Amino acid sequence: MRILGIDPGIAIVGFGFIDKQGSKCVPVQYGCIQTEAHTPEEERLLHVYEGMVQLIDKYKPDAVALEKLFFNRNVTTAMSVSQARGVMVLAAMQKGLPIAEYTPMQVKQAIVGYGKAEKRQVQEMTKMFLKLQAIPKPDDVADALAVAICHAHSCTLNSKLNEVLRS
């Protein structure tokens, strides 16, 4: 199963494709879509949308996992990121892909085993799970890979639960 993990943003969208092979997660491709700060918002949204469509077409994921948004202060940033997230969801839905959402706490729990883990701990574990030489940069990329790993773990758990329930 190929999973696309996404860390939503308007300036930087982190993405990470992994293949779930049994109990292992293998990195396929990762990086970010970046938009220029002083570009009109509608152009930035178009750039994010087109970038997402190109990535989906090229790497053909079976599922998409997004980090749920959490904002406690800046409403303007929240609105922009929410709109960007919407075009990402639209791109995935147009391709018929199932979408899963995870809170930052769920991702931390899945990666580190502790829902209040520090960002650095999550990055180190992501590097270890994927057998990478270094933590991917910028942080948004590492976060996207962590979301993809979280989904891979959740799929495994859900599959086992369904087996038990069918018995």
Side-chain angles (χ1 to χ4, degrees), residues 78-89:
M79 294 300 289
S80 293
V81 175
S82 293
Q83 289 181 318
R85 190 177 179 286
V87 300
M88 293 172 218
V89 169

Side-chain angles (χ1 to χ4, degrees), residues 10-11 35-48 80 83:
I10 188 70
T35 65
E36 294 295 322
H38 300 291
T39 305
E41 190 168 64
E42 56 274 13
E43 287 180 32
R44 294 174 92 179
L45 292 170
L46 179 61
H47 182 74
V48 168
S80 293
Q83 289 181 318

Side-chain angles (χ1 to χ4, degrees), residues 2-124:
R2 179 160 293 170
I3 301 165
L4 166 57
I6 301 172
D7 181 34
I10 188 70
I12 301 173
V13 176
F15 69 84
F17 290 88
I18 64 168
D19 283 346
K20 182 179 179 304
Q21 299 173 344
S23 62
K24 290 193 288 187
C25 293
V26 179
V28 175
Q29 182 62 278
Y30 49 90
C32 60
I33 300 168
Q34 294 183 301
T35 65
E36 294 295 322
H38 300 291
T39 305
E41 190 168 64
E42 56 274 13
E43 287 180 32
R44 294 174 92 179
L45 292 170
L46 179 61
H47 182 74
V48 168
Y49 172 79
E50 289 174 341
M52 195 58 52
V53 168
Q54 288 173 356
L55 288 168
I56 290 169
D57 286 344
K58 183 172 183 177
Y59 294 103
K60 304 191 180 334
D62 299 302
V64 175
L66 289 115
E67 186 170 83
K68 283 187 180 180
L69 300 180
F70 172 78
F71 287 96
N72 59 358
R73 289 206 180 116
N74 193 334
V75 175
T76 304
T77 301
M79 294 300 289
S80 293
V81 175
S82 293
Q83 289 181 318
R85 190 177 179 286
V87 300
M88 293 172 218
V89 169
L90 175 62
M93 290 302 297
Q94 285 181 326
K95 300 296 181 177
L97 297 171
I99 297 172
E101 300 176 292
Y102 300 95
T103 65
M105 187 176 275
Q106 288 173 309
V107 174
K108 291 174 182 180
Q109 181 71 41
I111 303 298
V112 180
Y114 177 60
K116 294 184 179 179
E118 296 294 322
K119 188 174 205 66
R120 182 73 182 177
Q121 290 174 295
V122 176
Q123 292 173 340
E124 286 293 339

Side-chain angles (χ1 to χ4, degrees), residues 124-136:
E124 286 293 339
M125 290 300 291
T126 298
K127 176 183 144 193
M128 187 190 80
F129 274 125
L130 298 176
K131 296 178 175 50
L132 301 173
Q133 296 295 316
I135 294 170

